[in-house]
Amino acid sequence: RVAPPTIFTYGILMNCCCHTRRPELGLAFFGRVLRMGLKTNVVVATMVLQCLSSAKRTDEAVDILLHRMSELGCVPDAFSYSIVLKSLCDNSMSQQGLDLLHMMAKEGGGCSPNVVAYSTVIHGFF
């Protein structure tokens, strides 16, 4: 008897897809997670951000980070923000990265920026 896949199984698959430069497959696995009705966690939601960033779909990653993660029952953490900040800066959108950093730093912005977040945006302007 074969055990059914879990959210952790799909998280690992999505991570592998990003590392092998096949982010679209990672996003397809996420679609399967949603269709199966599995409860998403912050790790899998962060992998979606990574897949979108790898696929140069930064605007979608920002939308998921700011709006959709809460709909999935997840709270973005510093790692989630850092992935999106790096994607913004890597795609010549450093000003949007700075705006996102300011949003993080605001009272009630979800989580406080850390040294990685600041360094990412500073590096993006260079």
PDB file of all heavy atoms in Angstrom, residues 46-87:
ATOM      1  N   THR A  46       6.014  29.753   0.583  1.00  0.00           N
ATOM      2  CA  THR A  46       7.302  30.361   0.264  1.00  0.00           C
ATOM      3  C   THR A  46       7.912  29.714  -0.967  1.00  0.00           C
ATOM      4  O   THR A  46       8.538  30.388  -1.792  1.00  0.00           O
ATOM      5  CB  THR A  46       8.247  30.283   1.484  1.00  0.00           C
ATOM      6  OG1 THR A  46       7.645  30.993   2.570  1.00  0.00           O
ATOM      7  CG2 THR A  46       9.598  30.889   1.184  1.00  0.00           C
ATOM      8  N   MET A  47       7.716  28.405  -1.132  1.00  0.00           N
ATOM      9  CA  MET A  47       8.206  27.733  -2.341  1.00  0.00           C
ATOM     10  C   MET A  47       7.474  28.265  -3.581  1.00  0.00           C
ATOM     11  O   MET A  47       8.077  28.372  -4.651  1.00  0.00           O
ATOM     12  CB  MET A  47       8.037  26.220  -2.237  1.00  0.00           C
ATOM     13  CG  MET A  47       9.015  25.540  -1.306  1.00  0.00           C
ATOM     14  SD  MET A  47      10.752  26.008  -1.499  1.00  0.00           S
ATOM     15  CE  MET A  47      11.013  25.937  -3.243  1.00  0.00           C
ATOM     16  N   VAL A  48       6.204  28.597  -3.440  1.00  0.00           N
ATOM     17  CA  VAL A  48       5.472  29.202  -4.560  1.00  0.00           C
ATOM     18  C   VAL A  48       6.127  30.536  -4.918  1.00  0.00           C
ATOM     19  O   VAL A  48       6.332  30.838  -6.100  1.00  0.00           O
ATOM     20  CB  VAL A  48       3.981  29.399  -4.213  1.00  0.00           C
ATOM     21  CG1 VAL A  48       3.278  30.228  -5.267  1.00  0.00           C
ATOM     22  CG2 VAL A  48       3.300  28.060  -4.046  1.00  0.00           C
ATOM     23  N   LEU A  49       6.470  31.324  -3.906  1.00  0.00           N
ATOM     24  CA  LEU A  49       7.152  32.598  -4.150  1.00  0.00           C
ATOM     25  C   LEU A  49       8.475  32.372  -4.874  1.00  0.00           C
ATOM     26  O   LEU A  49       8.822  33.101  -5.800  1.00  0.00           O
ATOM     27  CB  LEU A  49       7.394  33.341  -2.839  1.00  0.00           C
ATOM     28  CG  LEU A  49       6.155  33.768  -2.061  1.00  0.00           C
ATOM     29  CD1 LEU A  49       6.557  34.389  -0.726  1.00  0.00           C
ATOM     30  CD2 LEU A  49       5.303  34.718  -2.872  1.00  0.00           C
ATOM     31  N   GLN A  50       9.204  31.341  -4.450  1.00  0.00           N
ATOM     32  CA  GLN A  50      10.486  31.025  -5.085  1.00  0.00           C
ATOM     33  C   GLN A  50      10.280  30.615  -6.542  1.00  0.00           C
ATOM     34  O   GLN A  50      11.030  31.048  -7.428  1.00  0.00           O
ATOM     35  CB  GLN A  50      11.206  29.916  -4.318  1.00  0.00           C
ATOM     36  CG  GLN A  50      12.577  29.591  -4.860  1.00  0.00           C
ATOM     37  CD  GLN A  50      13.547  30.747  -4.707  1.00  0.00           C
ATOM     38  OE1 GLN A  50      13.667  31.314  -3.641  1.00  0.00           O
ATOM     39  NE2 GLN A  50      14.217  31.098  -5.782  1.00  0.00           N
ATOM     40  N   CYS A  51       9.283  29.786  -6.796  1.00  0.00           N
ATOM     41  CA  CYS A  51       9.006  29.354  -8.180  1.00  0.00           C
ATOM     42  C   CYS A  51       8.611  30.543  -9.051  1.00  0.00           C
ATOM     43  O   CYS A  51       9.099  30.674 -10.179  1.00  0.00           O
ATOM     44  CB  CYS A  51       7.904  28.301  -8.196  1.00  0.00           C
ATOM     45  SG  CYS A  51       8.404  26.680  -7.582  1.00  0.00           S
ATOM     46  N   LEU A  52       7.745  31.409  -8.538  1.00  0.00           N
ATOM     47  CA  LEU A  52       7.340  32.582  -9.309  1.00  0.00           C
ATOM     48  C   LEU A  52       8.531  33.496  -9.569  1.00  0.00           C
ATOM     49  O   LEU A  52       8.697  34.015 -10.675  1.00  0.00           O
ATOM     50  CB  LEU A  52       6.236  33.349  -8.572  1.00  0.00           C
ATOM     51  CG  LEU A  52       4.870  32.681  -8.554  1.00  0.00           C
ATOM     52  CD1 LEU A  52       3.944  33.396  -7.582  1.00  0.00           C
ATOM     53  CD2 LEU A  52       4.262  32.657  -9.950  1.00  0.00           C
ATOM     54  N   SER A  53       9.367  33.680  -8.571  1.00  0.00           N
ATOM     55  CA  SER A  53      10.552  34.523  -8.727  1.00  0.00           C
ATOM     56  C   SER A  53      11.508  33.930  -9.758  1.00  0.00           C
ATOM     57  O   SER A  53      12.045  34.647 -10.603  1.00  0.00           O
ATOM     58  CB  SER A  53      11.259  34.704  -7.384  1.00  0.00           C
ATOM     59  OG  SER A  53      10.418  35.397  -6.484  1.00  0.00           O
ATOM     60  N   SER A  54      11.701  32.627  -9.699  1.00  0.00           N
ATOM     61  CA  SER A  54      12.581  31.955 -10.663  1.00  0.00           C
ATOM     62  C   SER A  54      12.044  32.055 -12.087  1.00  0.00           C
ATOM     63  O   SER A  54      12.810  32.087 -13.044  1.00  0.00           O
ATOM     64  CB  SER A  54      12.747  30.484 -10.288  1.00  0.00           C
ATOM     65  OG  SER A  54      13.418  30.358  -9.069  1.00  0.00           O
ATOM     66  N   ALA A  55      10.723  32.107 -12.213  1.00  0.00           N
ATOM     67  CA  ALA A  55      10.084  32.210 -13.523  1.00  0.00           C
ATOM     68  C   ALA A  55       9.935  33.668 -13.970  1.00  0.00           C
ATOM     69  O   ALA A  55       9.274  33.942 -14.960  1.00  0.00           O
ATOM     70  CB  ALA A  55       8.720  31.523 -13.491  1.00  0.00           C
ATOM     71  N   LYS A  56      10.558  34.600 -13.223  1.00  0.00           N
ATOM     72  CA  LYS A  56      10.494  36.036 -13.539  1.00  0.00           C
ATOM     73  C   LYS A  56       9.066  36.574 -13.492  1.00  0.00           C
ATOM     74  O   LYS A  56       8.706  37.484 -14.234  1.00  0.00           O
ATOM     75  CB  LYS A  56      11.123  36.337 -14.900  1.00  0.00           C
ATOM     76  CG  LYS A  56      12.522  35.810 -15.070  1.00  0.00           C
ATOM     77  CD  LYS A  56      13.520  36.787 -14.544  1.00  0.00           C
ATOM     78  CE  LYS A  56      14.921  36.336 -14.909  1.00  0.00           C
ATOM     79  NZ  LYS A  56      15.785  36.235 -13.781  1.00  0.00           N
ATOM     80  N   ARG A  57       8.250  36.010 -12.611  1.00  0.00           N
ATOM     81  CA  ARG A  57       6.866  36.447 -12.429  1.00  0.00           C
ATOM     82  C   ARG A  57       6.770  37.187 -11.089  1.00  0.00           C
ATOM     83  O   ARG A  57       5.975  36.859 -10.229  1.00  0.00           O
ATOM     84  CB  ARG A  57       5.937  35.239 -12.503  1.00  0.00           C
ATOM     85  CG  ARG A  57       5.936  34.623 -13.902  1.00  0.00           C
ATOM     86  CD  ARG A  57       5.316  33.261 -13.979  1.00  0.00           C
ATOM     87  NE  ARG A  57       3.930  33.219 -13.585  1.00  0.00           N
ATOM     88  CZ  ARG A  57       3.201  32.103 -13.573  1.00  0.00           C
ATOM     89  NH1 ARG A  57       3.742  30.958 -13.974  1.00  0.00           N
ATOM     90  NH2 ARG A  57       1.957  32.120 -13.177  1.00  0.00           N
ATOM     91  N   THR A  58       7.586  38.231 -10.973  1.00  0.00           N
ATOM     92  CA  THR A  58       7.753  38.956  -9.722  1.00  0.00           C
ATOM     93  C   THR A  58       6.462  39.629  -9.267  1.00  0.00           C
ATOM     94  O   THR A  58       6.150  39.623  -8.074  1.00  0.00           O
ATOM     95  CB  THR A  58       8.883  39.988  -9.858  1.00  0.00           C
ATOM     96  OG1 THR A  58      10.060  39.299 -10.280  1.00  0.00           O
ATOM     97  CG2 THR A  58       9.161  40.691  -8.551  1.00  0.00           C
ATOM     98  N   ASP A  59       5.708  40.213 -10.188  1.00  0.00           N
ATOM     99  CA  ASP A  59       4.461  40.885  -9.796  1.00  0.00           C
ATOM    100  C   ASP A  59       3.491  39.901  -9.143  1.00  0.00           C
ATOM    101  O   ASP A  59       2.817  40.240  -8.162  1.00  0.00           O
ATOM    102  CB  ASP A  59       3.797  41.550 -11.001  1.00  0.00           C
ATOM    103  CG  ASP A  59       4.582  42.764 -11.496  1.00  0.00           C
ATOM    104  OD1 ASP A  59       5.326  43.360 -10.688  1.00  0.00           O
ATOM    105  OD2 ASP A  59       4.448  43.109 -12.683  1.00  0.00           O
ATOM    106  N   GLU A  60       3.433  38.685  -9.661  1.00  0.00           N
ATOM    107  CA  GLU A  60       2.570  37.665  -9.062  1.00  0.00           C
ATOM    108  C   GLU A  60       3.074  37.264  -7.678  1.00  0.00           C
ATOM    109  O   GLU A  60       2.286  37.033  -6.764  1.00  0.00           O
ATOM    110  CB  GLU A  60       2.484  36.434  -9.959  1.00  0.00           C
ATOM    111  CG  GLU A  60       1.734  36.694 -11.258  1.00  0.00           C
ATOM    112  CD  GLU A  60       1.801  35.494 -12.180  1.00  0.00           C
ATOM    113  OE1 GLU A  60       1.172  34.466 -11.864  1.00  0.00           O
ATOM    114  OE2 GLU A  60       2.498  35.599 -13.220  1.00  0.00           O
ATOM    115  N   ALA A  61       4.395  37.200  -7.528  1.00  0.00           N
ATOM    116  CA  ALA A  61       4.976  36.864  -6.229  1.00  0.00           C
ATOM    117  C   ALA A  61       4.624  37.935  -5.197  1.00  0.00           C
ATOM    118  O   ALA A  61       4.269  37.615  -4.057  1.00  0.00           O
ATOM    119  CB  ALA A  61       6.488  36.699  -6.336  1.00  0.00           C
ATOM    120  N   VAL A  62       4.691  39.204  -5.594  1.00  0.00           N
ATOM    121  CA  VAL A  62       4.322  40.296  -4.684  1.00  0.00           C
ATOM    122  C   VAL A  62       2.857  40.163  -4.289  1.00  0.00           C
ATOM    123  O   VAL A  62       2.501  40.307  -3.111  1.00  0.00           O
ATOM    124  CB  VAL A  62       4.610  41.673  -5.324  1.00  0.00           C
ATOM    125  CG1 VAL A  62       4.019  42.803  -4.487  1.00  0.00           C
ATOM    126  CG2 VAL A  62       6.100  41.875  -5.521  1.00  0.00           C
ATOM    127  N   ASP A  63       1.997  39.890  -5.258  1.00  0.00           N
ATOM    128  CA  ASP A  63       0.562  39.748  -4.982  1.00  0.00           C
ATOM    129  C   ASP A  63       0.308  38.609  -3.996  1.00  0.00           C
ATOM    130  O   ASP A  63      -0.465  38.768  -3.044  1.00  0.00           O
ATOM    131  CB  ASP A  63      -0.203  39.503  -6.283  1.00  0.00           C
ATOM    132  CG  ASP A  63      -1.697  39.369  -6.037  1.00  0.00           C
ATOM    133  OD1 ASP A  63      -2.298  40.298  -5.454  1.00  0.00           O
ATOM    134  OD2 ASP A  63      -2.260  38.322  -6.417  1.00  0.00           O
ATOM    135  N   ILE A  64       0.963  37.483  -4.193  1.00  0.00           N
ATOM    136  CA  ILE A  64       0.770  36.354  -3.277  1.00  0.00           C
ATOM    137  C   ILE A  64       1.286  36.712  -1.895  1.00  0.00           C
ATOM    138  O   ILE A  64       0.618  36.454  -0.884  1.00  0.00           O
ATOM    139  CB  ILE A  64       1.430  35.078  -3.827  1.00  0.00           C
ATOM    140  CG1 ILE A  64       0.592  34.556  -4.990  1.00  0.00           C
ATOM    141  CG2 ILE A  64       1.578  34.018  -2.732  1.00  0.00           C
ATOM    142  CD1 ILE A  64       1.130  33.338  -5.666  1.00  0.00           C
ATOM    143  N   LEU A  65       2.462  37.330  -1.823  1.00  0.00           N
ATOM    144  CA  LEU A  65       3.034  37.704  -0.538  1.00  0.00           C
ATOM    145  C   LEU A  65       2.112  38.640   0.231  1.00  0.00           C
ATOM    146  O   LEU A  65       1.846  38.423   1.418  1.00  0.00           O
ATOM    147  CB  LEU A  65       4.396  38.385  -0.743  1.00  0.00           C
ATOM    148  CG  LEU A  65       5.081  38.885   0.520  1.00  0.00           C
ATOM    149  CD1 LEU A  65       5.666  37.718   1.298  1.00  0.00           C
ATOM    150  CD2 LEU A  65       6.154  39.900   0.185  1.00  0.00           C
ATOM    151  N   LEU A  66       1.608  39.665  -0.438  1.00  0.00           N
ATOM    152  CA  LEU A  66       0.840  40.699   0.256  1.00  0.00           C
ATOM    153  C   LEU A  66      -0.636  40.372   0.431  1.00  0.00           C
ATOM    154  O   LEU A  66      -1.270  40.887   1.351  1.00  0.00           O
ATOM    155  CB  LEU A  66       0.983  42.034  -0.478  1.00  0.00           C
ATOM    156  CG  LEU A  66       2.395  42.601  -0.555  1.00  0.00           C
ATOM    157  CD1 LEU A  66       2.395  43.902  -1.351  1.00  0.00           C
ATOM    158  CD2 LEU A  66       2.970  42.804   0.839  1.00  0.00           C
ATOM    159  N   HIS A  67      -1.193  39.533  -0.438  1.00  0.00           N
ATOM    160  CA  HIS A  67      -2.645  39.326  -0.402  1.00  0.00           C
ATOM    161  C   HIS A  67      -3.083  37.872  -0.273  1.00  0.00           C
ATOM    162  O   HIS A  67      -4.009  37.570   0.459  1.00  0.00           O
ATOM    163  CB  HIS A  67      -3.286  39.929  -1.658  1.00  0.00           C
ATOM    164  CG  HIS A  67      -2.920  41.355  -1.885  1.00  0.00           C
ATOM    165  ND1 HIS A  67      -3.355  42.369  -1.065  1.00  0.00           N
ATOM    166  CD2 HIS A  67      -2.128  41.932  -2.818  1.00  0.00           C
ATOM    167  CE1 HIS A  67      -2.861  43.520  -1.484  1.00  0.00           C
ATOM    168  NE2 HIS A  67      -2.108  43.282  -2.551  1.00  0.00           N
ATOM    169  N   ARG A  68      -2.449  36.989  -0.996  1.00  0.00           N
ATOM    170  CA  ARG A  68      -2.950  35.619  -1.098  1.00  0.00           C
ATOM    171  C   ARG A  68      -2.481  34.691   0.018  1.00  0.00           C
ATOM    172  O   ARG A  68      -3.155  33.718   0.325  1.00  0.00           O
ATOM    173  CB  ARG A  68      -2.582  35.003  -2.437  1.00  0.00           C
ATOM    174  CG  ARG A  68      -2.990  35.827  -3.627  1.00  0.00           C
ATOM    175  CD  ARG A  68      -4.479  35.753  -3.877  1.00  0.00           C
ATOM    176  NE  ARG A  68      -4.807  36.540  -5.051  1.00  0.00           N
ATOM    177  CZ  ARG A  68      -5.650  37.547  -5.048  1.00  0.00           C
ATOM    178  NH1 ARG A  68      -6.249  37.903  -3.939  1.00  0.00           N
ATOM    179  NH2 ARG A  68      -5.915  38.199  -6.151  1.00  0.00           N
ATOM    180  N   MET A  69      -1.314  34.974   0.608  1.00  0.00           N
ATOM    181  CA  MET A  69      -0.829  34.068   1.660  1.00  0.00           C
ATOM    182  C   MET A  69      -1.809  34.014   2.817  1.00  0.00           C
ATOM    183  O   MET A  69      -2.056  32.947   3.372  1.00  0.00           O
ATOM    184  CB  MET A  69       0.566  34.461   2.140  1.00  0.00           C
ATOM    185  CG  MET A  69       1.660  33.989   1.179  1.00  0.00           C
ATOM    186  SD  MET A  69       3.332  34.334   1.726  1.00  0.00           S
ATOM    187  CE  MET A  69       3.574  33.086   2.977  1.00  0.00           C
ATOM    188  N   SER A  70      -2.389  35.152   3.158  1.00  0.00           N
ATOM    189  CA  SER A  70      -3.366  35.142   4.253  1.00  0.00           C
ATOM    190  C   SER A  70      -4.610  34.347   3.865  1.00  0.00           C
ATOM    191  O   SER A  70      -5.196  33.667   4.707  1.00  0.00           O
ATOM    192  CB  SER A  70      -3.744  36.570   4.655  1.00  0.00           C
ATOM    193  OG  SER A  70      -4.315  37.255   3.569  1.00  0.00           O
ATOM    194  N   GLU A  71      -4.987  34.377   2.589  1.00  0.00           N
ATOM    195  CA  GLU A  71      -6.123  33.578   2.122  1.00  0.00           C
ATOM    196  C   GLU A  71      -5.817  32.084   2.216  1.00  0.00           C
ATOM    197  O   GLU A  71      -6.719  31.267   2.366  1.00  0.00           O
ATOM    198  CB  GLU A  71      -6.472  33.925   0.675  1.00  0.00           C
ATOM    199  CG  GLU A  71      -7.035  35.314   0.499  1.00  0.00           C
ATOM    200  CD  GLU A  71      -7.219  35.682  -0.969  1.00  0.00           C
ATOM    201  OE1 GLU A  71      -7.041  34.807  -1.851  1.00  0.00           O
ATOM    202  OE2 GLU A  71      -7.528  36.858  -1.232  1.00  0.00           O
ATOM    203  N   LEU A  72      -4.530  31.740   2.106  1.00  0.00           N
ATOM    204  CA  LEU A  72      -4.109  30.343   2.212  1.00  0.00           C
ATOM    205  C   LEU A  72      -3.897  29.923   3.660  1.00  0.00           C
ATOM    206  O   LEU A  72      -3.521  28.786   3.931  1.00  0.00           O
ATOM    207  CB  LEU A  72      -2.815  30.121   1.416  1.00  0.00           C
ATOM    208  CG  LEU A  72      -2.908  30.309  -0.096  1.00  0.00           C
ATOM    209  CD1 LEU A  72      -1.520  30.303  -0.713  1.00  0.00           C
ATOM    210  CD2 LEU A  72      -3.793  29.242  -0.716  1.00  0.00           C
ATOM    211  N   GLY A  73      -4.114  30.855   4.586  1.00  0.00           N
ATOM    212  CA  GLY A  73      -3.945  30.551   5.999  1.00  0.00           C
ATOM    213  C   GLY A  73      -2.506  30.635   6.465  1.00  0.00           C
ATOM    214  O   GLY A  73      -2.137  30.019   7.452  1.00  0.00           O
ATOM    215  N   CYS A  74      -1.679  31.400   5.755  1.00  0.00           N
ATOM    216  CA  CYS A  74      -0.256  31.525   6.082  1.00  0.00           C
ATOM    217  C   CYS A  74       0.083  32.979   6.400  1.00  0.00           C
ATOM    218  O   CYS A  74      -0.483  33.890   5.826  1.00  0.00           O
ATOM    219  CB  CYS A  74       0.607  31.096   4.904  1.00  0.00           C
ATOM    220  SG  CYS A  74       0.280  29.444   4.320  1.00  0.00           S
ATOM    221  N   VAL A  75       1.044  33.148   7.271  1.00  0.00           N
ATOM    222  CA  VAL A  75       1.570  34.466   7.574  1.00  0.00           C
ATOM    223  C   VAL A  75       2.983  34.530   7.009  1.00  0.00           C
ATOM    224  O   VAL A  75       3.817  33.697   7.359  1.00  0.00           O
ATOM    225  CB  VAL A  75       1.588  34.722   9.098  1.00  0.00           C
ATOM    226  CG1 VAL A  75       2.219  36.064   9.414  1.00  0.00           C
ATOM    227  CG2 VAL A  75       0.186  34.618   9.678  1.00  0.00           C
ATOM    228  N   PRO A  76       3.254  35.493   6.122  1.00  0.00           N
ATOM    229  CA  PRO A  76       4.595  35.581   5.555  1.00  0.00           C
ATOM    230  C   PRO A  76       5.634  35.837   6.645  1.00  0.00           C
ATOM    231  O   PRO A  76       5.379  36.574   7.586  1.00  0.00           O
ATOM    232  CB  PRO A  76       4.527  36.764   4.592  1.00  0.00           C
ATOM    233  CG  PRO A  76       3.125  37.212   4.545  1.00  0.00           C
ATOM    234  CD  PRO A  76       2.376  36.532   5.623  1.00  0.00           C
ATOM    235  N   ASP A  77       6.789  35.217   6.490  1.00  0.00           N
ATOM    236  CA  ASP A  77       7.875  35.440   7.440  1.00  0.00           C
ATOM    237  C   ASP A  77       9.002  36.197   6.734  1.00  0.00           C
ATOM    238  O   ASP A  77       8.884  36.572   5.563  1.00  0.00           O
ATOM    239  CB  ASP A  77       8.359  34.120   8.034  1.00  0.00           C
ATOM    240  CG  ASP A  77       8.835  33.114   7.000  1.00  0.00           C
ATOM    241  OD1 ASP A  77       9.014  33.490   5.823  1.00  0.00           O
ATOM    242  OD2 ASP A  77       9.045  31.950   7.373  1.00  0.00           O
ATOM    243  N   ALA A  78      10.092  36.446   7.457  1.00  0.00           N
ATOM    244  CA  ALA A  78      11.214  37.210   6.894  1.00  0.00           C
ATOM    245  C   ALA A  78      11.784  36.523   5.662  1.00  0.00           C
ATOM    246  O   ALA A  78      12.200  37.191   4.707  1.00  0.00           O
ATOM    247  CB  ALA A  78      12.292  37.402   7.957  1.00  0.00           C
ATOM    248  N   PHE A  79      11.794  35.196   5.648  1.00  0.00           N
ATOM    249  CA  PHE A  79      12.307  34.459   4.498  1.00  0.00           C
ATOM    250  C   PHE A  79      11.421  34.696   3.275  1.00  0.00           C
ATOM    251  O   PHE A  79      11.933  34.897   2.168  1.00  0.00           O
ATOM    252  CB  PHE A  79      12.417  32.977   4.841  1.00  0.00           C
ATOM    253  CG  PHE A  79      13.168  32.179   3.835  1.00  0.00           C
ATOM    254  CD1 PHE A  79      14.538  32.360   3.653  1.00  0.00           C
ATOM    255  CD2 PHE A  79      12.527  31.246   3.048  1.00  0.00           C
ATOM    256  CE1 PHE A  79      15.239  31.627   2.707  1.00  0.00           C
ATOM    257  CE2 PHE A  79      13.215  30.510   2.105  1.00  0.00           C
ATOM    258  CZ  PHE A  79      14.575  30.704   1.933  1.00  0.00           C
ATOM    259  N   SER A  80      10.114  34.693   3.460  1.00  0.00           N
ATOM    260  CA  SER A  80       9.177  34.949   2.357  1.00  0.00           C
ATOM    261  C   SER A  80       9.427  36.325   1.754  1.00  0.00           C
ATOM    262  O   SER A  80       9.501  36.487   0.534  1.00  0.00           O
ATOM    263  CB  SER A  80       7.732  34.869   2.847  1.00  0.00           C
ATOM    264  OG  SER A  80       7.447  33.649   3.464  1.00  0.00           O
ATOM    265  N   TYR A  81       9.533  37.316   2.629  1.00  0.00           N
ATOM    266  CA  TYR A  81       9.794  38.676   2.154  1.00  0.00           C
ATOM    267  C   TYR A  81      11.131  38.764   1.431  1.00  0.00           C
ATOM    268  O   TYR A  81      11.248  39.431   0.410  1.00  0.00           O
ATOM    269  CB  TYR A  81       9.780  39.672   3.321  1.00  0.00           C
ATOM    270  CG  TYR A  81       8.396  40.142   3.695  1.00  0.00           C
ATOM    271  CD1 TYR A  81       7.697  39.547   4.731  1.00  0.00           C
ATOM    272  CD2 TYR A  81       7.784  41.200   3.018  1.00  0.00           C
ATOM    273  CE1 TYR A  81       6.432  39.986   5.087  1.00  0.00           C
ATOM    274  CE2 TYR A  81       6.517  41.646   3.361  1.00  0.00           C
ATOM    275  CZ  TYR A  81       5.843  41.041   4.396  1.00  0.00           C
ATOM    276  OH  TYR A  81       4.594  41.472   4.742  1.00  0.00           O
ATOM    277  N   SER A  82      12.153  38.102   1.950  1.00  0.00           N
ATOM    278  CA  SER A  82      13.488  38.178   1.353  1.00  0.00           C
ATOM    279  C   SER A  82      13.498  37.624  -0.067  1.00  0.00           C
ATOM    280  O   SER A  82      14.180  38.164  -0.944  1.00  0.00           O
ATOM    281  CB  SER A  82      14.503  37.434   2.223  1.00  0.00           C
ATOM    282  OG  SER A  82      14.687  38.119   3.437  1.00  0.00           O
ATOM    283  N   ILE A  83      12.744  36.565  -0.306  1.00  0.00           N
ATOM    284  CA  ILE A  83      12.663  35.991  -1.658  1.00  0.00           C
ATOM    285  C   ILE A  83      12.082  37.013  -2.623  1.00  0.00           C
ATOM    286  O   ILE A  83      12.610  37.228  -3.719  1.00  0.00           O
ATOM    287  CB  ILE A  83      11.823  34.700  -1.660  1.00  0.00           C
ATOM    288  CG1 ILE A  83      12.601  33.574  -0.986  1.00  0.00           C
ATOM    289  CG2 ILE A  83      11.410  34.304  -3.077  1.00  0.00           C
ATOM    290  CD1 ILE A  83      11.792  32.333  -0.735  1.00  0.00           C
ATOM    291  N   VAL A  84      11.018  37.668  -2.214  1.00  0.00           N
ATOM    292  CA  VAL A  84      10.373  38.644  -3.090  1.00  0.00           C
ATOM    293  C   VAL A  84      11.246  39.887  -3.248  1.00  0.00           C
ATOM    294  O   VAL A  84      11.362  40.440  -4.355  1.00  0.00           O
ATOM    295  CB  VAL A  84       8.956  38.986  -2.580  1.00  0.00           C
ATOM    296  CG1 VAL A  84       8.329  40.090  -3.412  1.00  0.00           C
ATOM    297  CG2 VAL A  84       8.081  37.737  -2.609  1.00  0.00           C
ATOM    298  N   LEU A  85      11.884  40.330  -2.169  1.00  0.00           N
ATOM    299  CA  LEU A  85      12.781  41.481  -2.262  1.00  0.00           C
ATOM    300  C   LEU A  85      13.913  41.205  -3.251  1.00  0.00           C
ATOM    301  O   LEU A  85      14.245  42.056  -4.084  1.00  0.00           O
ATOM    302  CB  LEU A  85      13.365  41.817  -0.887  1.00  0.00           C
ATOM    303  CG  LEU A  85      12.418  42.476   0.105  1.00  0.00           C
ATOM    304  CD1 LEU A  85      13.038  42.508   1.490  1.00  0.00           C
ATOM    305  CD2 LEU A  85      12.045  43.877  -0.362  1.00  0.00           C
ATOM    306  N   LYS A  86      14.502  40.025  -3.177  1.00  0.00           N
ATOM    307  CA  LYS A  86      15.585  39.674  -4.094  1.00  0.00           C
ATOM    308  C   LYS A  86      15.090  39.644  -5.535  1.00  0.00           C
ATOM    309  O   LYS A  86      15.758  40.125  -6.451  1.00  0.00           O
ATOM    310  CB  LYS A  86      16.197  38.326  -3.723  1.00  0.00           C
ATOM    311  CG  LYS A  86      17.360  37.951  -4.631  1.00  0.00           C
ATOM    312  CD  LYS A  86      18.195  36.862  -4.081  1.00  0.00           C
ATOM    313  CE  LYS A  86      19.352  36.430  -4.920  1.00  0.00           C
ATOM    314  NZ  LYS A  86      19.698  37.138  -6.104  1.00  0.00           N
ATOM    315  N   SER A  87      13.907  39.107  -5.735  1.00  0.00           N
ATOM    316  CA  SER A  87      13.345  39.049  -7.082  1.00  0.00           C
ATOM    317  C   SER A  87      13.112  40.460  -7.629  1.00  0.00           C
ATOM    318  O   SER A  87      13.420  40.744  -8.790  1.00  0.00           O
ATOM    319  CB  SER A  87      12.035  38.256  -7.069  1.00  0.00           C
ATOM    320  OG  SER A  87      11.516  38.139  -8.366  1.00  0.00           O
TER     321      SER A  87
END
